[in-house]
Amino acid sequence: MSVNLTKEEFLEKYGILQREFDEADISWEELLKIAEDYEECRPALEQIRKDFVAEILQDREKEMGLQSYHSRLKDTEHLMEKLVRKRIENYTKYRELDLTNYKRFVTDLIGIRGLLLYREDWVNFHKYITGRFQNDPKKYVHNYVRDYKEGASGYMIEPPKVHTRLGDFADIYVNWIPEENILDRKHYRAVHYIVAYKGVYIEIQIKTLFEEGWGEIDHHILYPRKKDNPMLKEFSELLNRLAGMGDEMGSFYRRLQAVPDEEFQGKETIVRKRELKPSVKTEVEKRDLSEIRTAEDAIASVLKE
């Protein structure tokens, strides 16, 4: 897929102001060259994606604790947008990014998303992935240019990070991930891993089904041009809170399985038909309905009963 947008069309489509593009300090011509190079690399990256799925994920859902997973290659236009936004947000970190090294900076050209039925199932995935990819601080990448190793594979390039919403229960994470890597974010929940595999960095996101559902709706509504709409942001936060509550209710529902049936008191949910006293019932049955001719008569009849 080639990019058929002009610079003006690209900026309009992705909600980037001209002054922001200028701050990114990357030329439109350089972006187009990166896009062209990425298109040429896509077949090789697609094969690596398939290899990763077959070797690491396929038919291992139960072992990993996942309900399901899916994978994708980053869209070319979204890659261009990400490069611009990254240079806007942190120019110092990304100032060396160019055509020759952009694949070292962008750690989610291949993305994996794993979905959990219950948040607690994450522990199984964490044990599994850290058993397949070494989590050694000595191997972490601090400089994307200098620390890159050709053909690197089998380890994590940064520590696993937990993104939670302020107020969420984090007790399932604290025994596995250092506290400094459990981050409070207002609108986002997921656990992130970035692994080196066959010379490519792959991002793995782990979410619950509730988190994924909210995230897809939020991404569709707010992204890319409505992030600053106060009403939509507030509604997004409400959905996020509901997603968190859904996860907590799901976990509680799961724990209820341990409650013996004989100790659980069911709630009466069917409204029983009202039974009349025999004397009242007789009077009602004797009532001459032919006397009801108007709405007022009907109301009076009901009140008498």
Side-chain angles (χ1 to χ4, degrees):
M1 183 197 79
S2 59
V3 177
N4 296 315
L5 299 175
T6 65
K7 174 186 171 184
E8 290 71 25
E9 289 171 336
F10 172 80
L11 297 182
E12 172 69 17
K13 182 175 181 179
Y14 292 100
I16 301 171
L17 301 176
Q18 179 62 53
R19 62 173 177 77
E20 293 177 319
F21 187 81
D22 294 339
E23 289 174 14
D25 194 26
I26 185 170
S27 70
W28 178 244
E29 291 71 26
E30 180 81 356
L31 273 181
L32 289 178
K33 288 179 182 178
I34 290 175
E36 182 180 351
D37 181 79
Y38 180 59
E39 283 294 311
E40 294 177 359
C41 293
R42 284 181 69 91
L45 290 171
E46 175 63 16
Q47 187 57 54
I48 292 174
R49 182 194 67 80
K50 291 179 178 179
D51 291 346
F52 182 89
V53 169
E55 181 183 345
I56 306 299
L57 304 177
Q58 192 168 307
D59 299 326
R60 295 177 174 87
E61 289 90 342
K62 187 173 181 180
E63 182 181 357
M64 295 184 295
L66 296 181
Q67 193 272 343
S68 61
Y69 65 85
H70 59 90
S71 61
R72 60 98 183 110
L73 284 187
K74 197 168 201 62
D75 176 79
T76 303
E77 286 184 14
H78 288 159
L79 170 62
M80 296 170 66
E81 182 218 5
K82 181 164 188 171
L83 297 182
V84 172
R85 293 201 181 277
K86 286 297 184 183
R87 287 173 68 95
I88 294 171
E89 294 166 4
N90 193 339
Y91 180 77
T92 300
K93 182 176 181 179
Y94 292 95
R95 68 181 183 276
E96 296 181 73
L97 184 152
D98 59 27
L99 174 63
T100 67
N101 60 28
Y102 70 92
K103 291 191 286 293
R104 304 182 186 187
F105 283 86
V106 183
T107 58
D108 65 342
L109 292 177
I110 299 175
I112 309 293
R113 186 167 297 175
L115 302 180
L116 307 167
L117 187 57
Y118 301 103
R119 189 180 296 174
E120 292 81 0
D121 292 337
W122 164 79
V123 175
N124 293 327
F125 181 83
H126 183 74
K127 290 179 180 178
Y128 176 83
I129 202 68
T130 52
R132 300 300 297 264
F133 291 88
Q134 187 180 11
N135 183 22
D136 182 357
K138 295 179 181 178
K139 294 182 178 293
Y140 291 165
V141 169
H142 301 286
N143 182 291
Y144 288 110
V145 176
R146 185 181 62 246
D147 297 342
Y148 176 77
K149 294 179 175 57
E150 194 74 35
S153 196
Y155 62 88
M156 297 183 183
I157 70 160
E158 65 175 42
K161 292 184 175 66
V162 180
H163 299 280
T164 67
R165 188 180 180 279
L166 187 62
D168 284 346
F169 292 108
D171 51 331
I172 64 170
Y173 306 117
V174 294
N175 293 327
W176 304 96
I177 291 182
E179 187 175 351
E180 62 268 22
N181 293 322
I182 301 176
L183 312 172
D184 288 331
R185 294 186 62 176
K186 190 173 184 180
H187 293 291
Y188 183 71
R189 295 182 182 92
V191 186
H192 280 213
Y193 304 85
I194 300 179
V195 302
Y197 180 79
K198 296 187 176 182
V200 176
Y201 299 148
I202 297 177
E203 181 186 75
I204 305 171
Q205 292 186 26
I206 303 299
K207 299 181 175 184
T208 66
L209 290 170
F210 278 108
E211 291 165 348
E212 173 72 351
W214 165 78
E216 286 298 306
I217 293 173
D218 185 69
H219 186 80
H220 182 262
I221 298 299
L222 291 184
Y223 182 88
R225 303 185 59 185
K226 298 180 180 178
K227 297 174 184 176
D228 297 324
N229 185 303
M231 289 188 296
L232 291 179
K233 285 176 67 176
E234 183 174 343
F235 192 76
S236 171
E237 184 173 353
L238 288 174
L239 282 178
N240 192 9
R241 288 159 61 185
L242 283 173
M245 183 175 292
D247 280 329
E248 291 179 26
M249 292 176 69
S251 296
F252 182 73
Y253 195 31
R254 185 186 196 183
R255 296 203 309 273
L256 283 180
Q257 295 179 97
V259 178
D261 292 344
E262 60 273 12
E263 294 182 12
F264 185 79
Q265 298 297 316
K267 182 178 180 181
E268 190 73 50
T269 58
I270 299 176
V271 178
R272 294 180 178 177
K273 185 177 180 180
R274 181 166 62 96
E275 293 292 334
L276 298 175
K277 294 180 180 180
S279 59
V280 176
K281 185 175 182 181
T282 302
E283 290 299 320
V284 171
E285 290 173 347
K286 290 180 179 179
R287 185 175 300 154
D288 185 4
L289 297 179
S290 64
E291 294 179 359
I292 301 176
R293 297 185 179 87
T294 66
E296 288 78 6
D297 292 338
I299 293 171
S301 175
V302 171
L303 292 175
K304 287 180 182 178
E305 184 180 334

